[in-house]
Amino acid sequence: MEPRYRLVISCPDRVGIVAMVSNFLSSHGGSIAEASQHSDSSTGWFFMRYEISTRNLSYSIEELRESFAPIAQSFNMTWSLTDSAKPKRVALLASKQAHCLSDLLYRYHSNELDCEIPCVISNHDDLRSMVEWHDIPYHHVPVDKDDKEPAFRAMEQLIEEHQIDTIVLARYMQILPPALCEQYASRVINIHHSFLPSFVGARPYHQAHERGVKLIGATCHYVTEELDAGPIIDQDVIRITHNDSAEDMVRQGRDVEKTVLARGLRWHLEDRVLVHGNKTVVFA
Amino acid sequence: MEPRYRLVISCPDRVGIVAMVSNFLSSHGGSIAEASQHSDSSTGWFFMRYEISTRNLSYSIEELRESFAPIAQSFNMTWSLTDSAKPKRVALLASKQAHCLSDLLYRYHSNELDCEIPCVISNHDDLRSMVEWHDIPYHHVPVDKDDKEPAFRAMEQLIEEHQIDTIVLARYMQILPPALCEQYASRVINIHHSFLPSFVGARPYHQAHERGVKLIGATCHYVTEELDAGPIIDQDVIRITHNDSAEDMVRQGRDVEKTVLARGLRWHLEDRVLVHGNKTVVFA
Amino acid sequence: MEPRYRLVISCPDRVGIVAMVSNFLSSHGGSIAEASQHSDSSTGWFFMRYEISTRNLSYSIEELRESFAPIAQSFNMTWSLTDSAKPKRVALLASKQAHCLSDLLYRYHSNELDCEIPCVISNHDDLRSMVEWHDIPYHHVPVDKDDKEPAFRAMEQLIEEHQIDTIVLARYMQILPPALCEQYASRVINIHHSFLPSFVGARPYHQAHERGVKLIGATCHYVTEELDAGPIIDQDVIRITHNDSAEDMVRQGRDVEKTVLARGLRWHLEDRVLVHGNKTVVFA
Amino acid sequence: MEPRYRLVISCPDRVGIVAMVSNFLSSHGGSIAEASQHSDSSTGWFFMRYEISTRNLSYSIEELRESFAPIAQSFNMTWSLTDSAKPKRVALLASKQAHCLSDLLYRYHSNELDCEIPCVISNHDDLRSMVEWHDIPYHHVPVDKDDKEPAFRAMEQLIEEHQIDTIVLARYMQILPPALCEQYASRVINIHHSFLPSFVGARPYHQAHERGVKLIGATCHYVTEELDAGPIIDQDVIRITHNDSAEDMVRQGRDVEKTVLARGLRWHLEDRVLVHGNKTVVFA
């Protein structure tokens, strides 16, 4: 597919935004291949995402950015203009459980996920062989629970070295260094194995079994300081019955976890997820 | 359809229960039209529900009960033997919102729900005409929030007069008299408009909107003393997006509420729901 | 909610459509409250739907139409500009089965469906009382299977008298007069009780039971000359098991039918469904 | 988990089957850990599956089989008694597409599928490395479309050599040798990438796109002589929109295909699928 530019904007809502932006694009030869807009009447905020065909564009992306900047400023826009030909660089973090990691690697391998994966980082060495079969460097960074600083520094260094754009916690099961969370705000994606806000924290399937719910789920969200409380990107559930033990839920839940994580990551990679406060607008 | 007897049993699990029960039935000429069993390995408890064809039965239901009692006792069974030809008597309780009540009345009217509905009780008079069109007596029992006792007494009296088996809170929005809850343990069914245990209490759709979840749901459960914490019978969810306001959620949620309530009630009416501790076994 | 204008457009895709339309609107003081666009790369066709806030508009809808006409012509647009304050007039057609009709009437009654229902037409008299309780005229137009012409003429006359915009076949079970179908192209909505294109024609649940499928469904579509082959608006399915007889499927299928029909009708009423060839674009 | 025996029975329905079977088991010290039964009133057939705890059994599986045989005969039973400790031997057949194969191998690797996989057979060599990483022999058996006999013979020989119980067509895209189909009746599992009976044959996603359906699906079924017409084990669907091209459907459909195939295979491996005529009873 030909490369496309993605223009993503959030700003206070007012008359004329679409006219201004679409004029700007058509006057530069940019045709809009995909357009999504949302006006949030409760917050008075406006969100938009345009995919721009580059075929007839007579300007480079830098030139477009430069020309657009004054318009953006006059509308108080938070905005980005990215090139689909430059995929994001993603670090996958995992522990011992293979299902999410394996699923993402498979999708990467079969070109379903438009990104580069320069490294996998894990606090265990269990999944090395699987990762290396995909020709991806595997970094084993054990975390000493009495002194996490050395591990934190090692991870931050790896993230920096590999020029990572997005961090994915593929059932990583460890708290990230707070500095990293802050630096990568809205760019660290976690999968929590419950339908949040139910069953925050540890062993959510066991909590679900205890409560006797009839559906279990998974939640893909951006990581914030507060545990399992960040902006939700996607969720899904499956039906269970009295016949399912907590262990059965763990097994069946894996399928939901990996699907929801892959879907959320895909949307993130395509700049379809806009964060506003503690909520997301997802132009799926 | 020919009438059937329903034998429902819970007891400590051990070898020989099925053999004993099925022997008992076949020796009385009862053929098993539908059978459901569940052994809960975590609690060591056994649950079973048999629908028995009455065609070749040579004993009355009272005779069967009498013959079965000693067996039941020797296995420490909690059990019941009911006749599908004697539908339960259900009181529907509603407030101002029509959707659940209207849906149940429609299903009743079209013979989808195997029960009798001798009365509807409401703390408002809004839904009278709809109910009376169905030829069902409508009792307006206003609740004075400073003195609920008179309303409680009136309701208890109506419940007693109409010889009610099961009470359904079709978005009743009021706390029931505690004595009634106790007397009707596992026989008062409520629909809560969230995917419990998320968003207990008031205005759950607004809570859901605030949190930014991507699915909203409804939960049908038996009422216990603790608010929205009783054994869950059924749940379901629907997908929503950033585009849905809290009001949109209220509207879309109605469809889930009424479906989940009708399904839960149907299972209850057919003796398919067995309560054990704070959980249910549902032989759907 | 304040009234809104809905501008719905389909035309050959080219650069500058969005700019032209959004300029037109902003220059007339119209702010875009909701925007949906779709470029179909396989057909080269462009679709758009704008909801326009009327708060700051300084022109009447007729003036807007007049000003927009030349623009529309230059882009070869098929277009309409409608006013949400003028709801469509809908005729409901039913036979003996109540579930879809009852569901639509309930939603109408509770202001979930933004339309007027000036009449219900049926080839049987069974549902009169239910309809008349809603204060809607009920026309019994029996269809003589050996000579359908008189019934056809009676129906066409009723449709005309009541100035109907949209016809809904709420399990009407009769073929419509061909002239009516042609006159009301893309404005006659049917609910078929299968997941089309599986099980076209009569007794689809029995066909499904025979084939042993594990999901059954319903399809809401515009009526065309060919039976059950028109553009699909919406579909849904539910899970069934070996335990479900054809009769059980009929019962459970009703819930899907009424939900899918109500959803499709709602989208139609809000001008969210654009027909192109034998397919629909649904800006839900 | 302790090994269990699985007793699976189909026979004409009559009074006393359950009593006879459960007596037989309890008199041999077998406690029923999981029980499923189904009486099909339309065919007059009875189906049952018991999982028997082996803890207190005082007889070998052969002894049980020998003792049970006369009972089975007197009831005209089709039956089997298998040991969960002896997992089935499964041959996976694939072509070039990796998604189903990769998914099954992952589940096998992580002990989600209770079977042995002694070989993968493919008409292409593309997936060798992935399979061999799992330490499973990969047999490349090219099919000459003008003379399929040599390939057929080679495959039959491999199937025999590896003592295969069950053949899985993981998007194998070739017709199997008819002799093999017959020999492995109800033991060859295929995944078809549509919601059967819609879109039989080639390029179902393109057929679906052409028709404009709003849901796409996948069907797991036993292979019979007639293409895509065998008994259905499981099906599922996902929602798509006008925005999805046929290629998008292909991508999204993969997730449904692999989930449905894995689920169907899992049920088959646990002897939960009983074939009767062209339909299945699935004791999930």
Side-chain angles (χ1 to χ4, degrees), chain A residues 136-151:
Chain A
I136 298 175
Y138 186 89
H139 302 286
H140 178 201
V141 181
V143 178
D144 178 346
K145 69 177 190 309
D146 296 322
D147 179 12
K148 299 189 171 180
E149 275 310 311

Side-chain angles (χ1 to χ4, degrees), chain D residues 30-62:
Chain D
S31 79
I32 301 168
E34 186 182 327
S36 312
Q37 292 160 227
H38 172 57
S39 303
D40 189 324
S41 57
S42 66
T43 60
W45 222 255
F46 177 78
F47 306 87
M48 102 190 295
R49 177 186 181 278
Y50 277 5
E51 279 200 15
I52 302 149
S53 164
T54 54
R55 208 175 315 144
N56 303 304
L57 267 178
S58 28
Y59 299 83
S60 72
I61 196 166
E62 289 76 21

Side-chain angles (χ1 to χ4, degrees), chain C residues 198 209 214 235 239 279, chain D residues 198 209 214 234-235 279:
Chain C
S198 291
H209 187 256
K214 300 300 184 185
Q235 309 189 279
R239 190 161 285 276
K279 296 165 69 170
Chain D
S198 292
H209 187 257
K214 300 300 186 184
D234 195 28
Q235 309 187 281
K279 295 166 69 170

Side-chain angles (χ1 to χ4, degrees), chain D residues 7 16 32 42 77-78 154 167 187 202-203 220 223 230 233 240 265:
Chain D
L7 178 60
I32 301 168
S42 66
M77 289 175 175
T78 303
I167 298 168
R187 292 189 294 152
R203 294 169 65 82
C220 174
V223 171
I233 305 170
I240 49 133
L265 175 57

Side-chain angles (χ1 to χ4, degrees), chain D residues 57-241:
Chain D
L57 267 178
S58 28
Y59 299 83
S60 72
I61 196 166
E62 289 76 21
E63 288 169 326
L64 283 177
R65 283 189 189 122
E66 208 169 314
S67 317
F68 190 66
I71 299 178
Q73 195 166 14
S74 71
F75 281 86
N76 284 312
M77 289 175 175
T78 303
W79 66 287
S80 68
L81 182 65
T82 57
D83 183 347
S84 73
K86 294 204 177 159
K88 297 193 202 310
R89 297 173 64 82
V90 177
L92 302 180
L93 274 60
S95 288
K96 287 182 165 183
Q97 293 202 51
H99 58 286
C100 283
L101 184 64
S102 160
D103 182 71
L104 293 179
L105 291 177
Y106 160 75
R107 290 178 198 271
Y108 172 64
H109 192 74
S110 56
N111 297 314
E112 259 187 45
L113 286 175
D114 191 24
C115 64
E116 287 173 28
I117 302 184
C119 68
V120 170
I121 302 174
S122 176
N123 54 334
H124 295 283
D125 212 32
D126 305 48
L127 305 175
R128 177 181 296 277
S129 150
M130 184 179 77
V131 172
E132 291 184 347
W133 181 81
H134 285 93
D135 285 328
I136 299 174
Y138 186 89
H139 301 286
H140 178 202
V141 181
V143 178
D144 178 345
K145 69 180 191 311
D146 297 322
D147 180 12
K148 300 190 169 180
E149 274 309 311
F152 282 9
R153 276 197 305 277
M155 288 172 63
E156 284 166 347
Q157 198 174 331
L158 285 167
I159 298 289
E160 196 185 331
E161 267 171 23
H162 288 294
Q163 301 176 53
I164 294 305
D165 297 304
T166 297
I167 298 168
V168 174
L169 309 187
R171 297 297 307 273
Y172 176 57
M173 313 307 282
Q174 293 281 329
I175 306 289
L176 273 204
L180 203 59
C181 285
E182 198 170 324
Q183 185 190 346
Y184 279 82
S186 300
R187 292 189 294 152
V188 183
I189 296 176
N190 184 43
I191 181 73
H192 182 72
H193 39 315
S194 86
F195 181 72
L196 289 174
S198 292
F199 313 130
V200 165
R203 294 169 65 82
Y205 291 124
H206 291 78
Q207 294 182 53
H209 187 257
E210 188 66 25
R211 178 62 186 92
V213 293
K214 300 300 186 184
L215 300 168
I216 54 170
T219 304
C220 174
H221 65 96
Y222 288 117
V223 171
T224 57
E225 225 170 309
E226 190 183 343
L227 185 68
D228 301 331
I232 292 170
I233 305 170
D234 195 28
Q235 309 187 281
D236 216 337
V237 294
I238 48 167
R239 191 160 285 276
I240 49 133
T241 76

Side-chain angles (χ1 to χ4, degrees), chain C residues 72-104:
Chain C
Q73 194 165 16
S74 72
F75 281 87
N76 284 313
M77 289 174 175
T78 303
W79 67 287
S80 67
L81 181 66
T82 57
D83 184 349
S84 73
K86 295 205 176 157
K88 298 194 201 311
R89 296 173 65 82
V90 177
L92 302 181
L93 275 60
S95 287
K96 287 184 167 183
Q97 293 203 50
H99 58 288
C100 284
L101 184 64
S102 158
D103 182 71
L104 292 179

Side-chain angles (χ1 to χ4, degrees), chain A:
Chain A
M1 210 167 77
E2 46 136 36
R4 288 180 175 178
Y5 294 161
R6 298 172 191 140
L7 178 60
V8 176
I9 293 170
S10 19
C11 64
D13 201 0
R14 66 181 232 207
V15 173
I17 302 175
V18 175
M20 189 65 92
V21 173
S22 52
N23 275 339
F24 171 83
L25 291 174
S26 69
S27 70
H28 288 77
S31 79
I32 300 167
E34 187 182 328
S36 312
Q37 292 159 229
H38 173 55
S39 302
D40 190 323
S41 57
S42 67
T43 60
W45 222 253
F46 177 78
F47 305 87
M48 102 189 296
R49 178 187 180 276
Y50 277 6
E51 280 200 15
I52 303 151
S53 164
T54 54
R55 211 176 313 144
N56 303 305
L57 266 180
S58 28
Y59 299 83
S60 73
I61 196 165
E62 288 77 18
E63 288 169 326
L64 283 176
R65 281 188 190 126
E66 209 169 313
S67 317
F68 190 66
I71 299 177
Q73 197 168 12
S74 72
F75 281 86
N76 284 315
M77 289 174 175
T78 302
W79 67 287
S80 67
L81 181 66
T82 57
D83 184 349
S84 74
K86 293 205 177 157
K88 296 193 204 312
R89 297 172 64 81
V90 177
L92 302 180
L93 273 60
S95 288
K96 288 183 167 184
Q97 292 204 51
H99 59 286
C100 285
L101 185 63
S102 160
D103 182 71
L104 292 179
L105 291 176
Y106 161 75
R107 290 177 198 270
Y108 172 66
H109 191 73
S110 56
N111 297 315
E112 258 189 45
L113 285 177
D114 191 23
C115 65
E116 288 171 29
I117 302 184
C119 68
V120 170
I121 302 173
S122 176
N123 54 333
H124 295 283
D125 212 33
D126 304 48
L127 305 174
R128 175 182 296 278
S129 150
M130 185 179 76
V131 172
E132 291 184 345
W133 182 82
H134 284 93
D135 284 328
I136 298 175
Y138 186 89
H139 302 286
H140 178 201
V141 181
V143 178
D144 178 346
K145 69 177 190 309
D146 296 322
D147 179 12
K148 299 189 171 180
E149 275 310 311
F152 282 8
R153 275 196 304 276
M155 289 173 62
E156 283 166 347
Q157 197 174 331
L158 286 167
I159 299 289
E160 195 186 331
E161 267 170 26
H162 288 295
Q163 302 175 50
I164 294 305
D165 297 306
T166 297
I167 299 168
V168 174
L169 309 187
R171 300 294 311 271
Y172 176 58
M173 313 306 281
Q174 292 281 329
I175 305 289
L176 274 204
L180 204 58
C181 286
E182 198 170 323
Q183 186 191 345
Y184 279 81
S186 299
R187 292 189 294 152
V188 183
I189 297 176
N190 184 43
I191 181 74
H192 183 73
H193 40 314
S194 87
F195 181 71
L196 288 175
S198 291
F199 312 132
V200 165
R203 295 170 64 84
Y205 292 123
H206 292 79
Q207 294 182 52
H209 187 257
E210 188 65 24
R211 178 62 186 92
V213 293
K214 299 300 185 184
L215 301 168
I216 54 169
T219 303
C220 174
H221 65 96
Y222 288 117
V223 170
T224 56
E225 224 169 308
E226 191 183 342
L227 185 67
D228 301 331
I232 292 171
I233 305 171
D234 195 28
Q235 308 188 281
D236 216 338
V237 295
I238 49 168
R239 192 162 282 278
I240 50 133
T241 76
H242 58 262
N243 210 26
D244 293 300
S245 65
E247 287 68 37
D248 291 328
M249 292 183 190
V250 168
R251 174 179 55 75
Q252 294 176 74
R254 276 185 218 132
D255 282 355
V256 190
E257 293 167 37
K258 60 196 196 192
T259 308
V260 170
L261 176 56
R263 204 159 51 197
L265 176 56
R266 183 182 170 85
W267 290 334
H268 173 87
L269 294 176
E270 298 180 348
D271 297 313
R272 294 179 183 279
V273 189
L274 288 70
V275 175
H276 188 68
N278 201 43
K279 296 166 69 171
T280 63
V281 169
V282 180
F283 291 130

Side-chain angles (χ1 to χ4, degrees), chain B residues 3-278:
Chain B
R4 288 181 176 178
Y5 294 162
R6 300 172 191 139
L7 178 59
V8 176
I9 294 169
S10 22
C11 64
D13 201 1
R14 65 183 234 207
V15 174
I17 301 174
V18 175
M20 189 65 91
V21 174
S22 53
N23 275 338
F24 171 83
L25 291 174
S26 70
S27 70
H28 289 76
S31 80
I32 301 167
E34 186 183 327
S36 312
Q37 293 161 228
H38 173 57
S39 302
D40 189 322
S41 56
S42 67
T43 59
W45 222 254
F46 178 79
F47 306 87
M48 99 189 297
R49 177 187 182 277
Y50 277 5
E51 279 200 15
I52 302 149
S53 164
T54 53
R55 207 175 316 145
N56 303 305
L57 267 179
S58 27
Y59 299 83
S60 72
I61 196 165
E62 289 77 19
E63 287 169 325
L64 283 177
R65 282 190 190 123
E66 207 169 315
S67 314
F68 189 67
I71 299 178
Q73 193 166 17
S74 72
F75 282 86
N76 284 312
M77 291 174 175
T78 302
W79 67 287
S80 67
L81 182 65
T82 57
D83 184 349
S84 72
K86 295 206 175 155
K88 297 193 201 312
R89 297 173 63 82
V90 177
L92 302 181
L93 274 59
S95 289
K96 288 183 167 184
Q97 294 204 51
H99 58 286
C100 284
L101 184 64
S102 160
D103 182 72
L104 293 179
L105 291 177
Y106 161 75
R107 291 178 197 272
Y108 172 66
H109 192 73
S110 57
N111 298 315
E112 258 187 46
L113 286 177
D114 191 24
C115 64
E116 288 171 27
I117 302 185
C119 68
V120 171
I121 302 173
S122 177
N123 53 334
H124 296 282
D125 211 33
D126 306 48
L127 306 174
R128 175 182 297 277
S129 150
M130 183 178 78
V131 171
E132 291 183 347
W133 182 81
H134 285 92
D135 285 327
I136 299 174
Y138 187 89
H139 302 284
H140 178 200
V141 182
V143 178
D144 177 344
K145 68 179 189 317
D146 297 322
D147 180 13
K148 301 189 170 181
E149 275 310 312
F152 282 8
R153 274 197 305 275
M155 289 172 63
E156 284 166 346
Q157 196 174 332
L158 285 167
I159 299 288
E160 195 185 331
E161 268 170 23
H162 288 294
Q163 301 175 53
I164 295 303
D165 297 305
T166 297
I167 299 168
V168 174
L169 310 187
R171 298 297 309 271
Y172 176 57
M173 314 308 280
Q174 292 282 329
I175 306 287
L176 275 204
L180 204 59
C181 286
E182 198 170 323
Q183 186 191 346
Y184 278 82
S186 301
R187 293 190 293 152
V188 183
I189 296 177
N190 184 42
I191 181 72
H192 183 73
H193 39 317
S194 86
F195 181 71
L196 289 175
S198 291
F199 312 130
V200 165
R203 294 169 66 81
Y205 292 123
H206 292 79
Q207 293 182 53
H209 186 258
E210 187 65 24
R211 179 60 187 95
V213 293
K214 300 300 185 183
L215 302 167
I216 54 170
T219 303
C220 174
H221 65 96
Y222 288 117
V223 170
T224 56
E225 221 171 310
E226 190 183 345
L227 185 69
D228 301 331
I232 293 171
I233 304 171
D234 195 28
Q235 307 187 282
D236 216 338
V237 294
I238 48 166
R239 191 161 285 276
I240 48 130
T241 76
H242 57 263
N243 209 28
D244 293 302
S245 65
E247 288 68 36
D248 292 328
M249 292 183 190
V250 168
R251 174 179 53 77
Q252 294 176 73
R254 276 184 218 132
D255 281 355
V256 190
E257 292 166 39
K258 62 197 195 191
T259 309
V260 170
L261 176 57
R263 202 159 54 198
L265 175 58
R266 183 181 170 85
W267 290 334
H268 173 87
L269 294 176
E270 297 179 349
D271 297 312
R272 295 180 183 278
V273 189
L274 288 69
V275 175
H276 187 68
N278 202 43

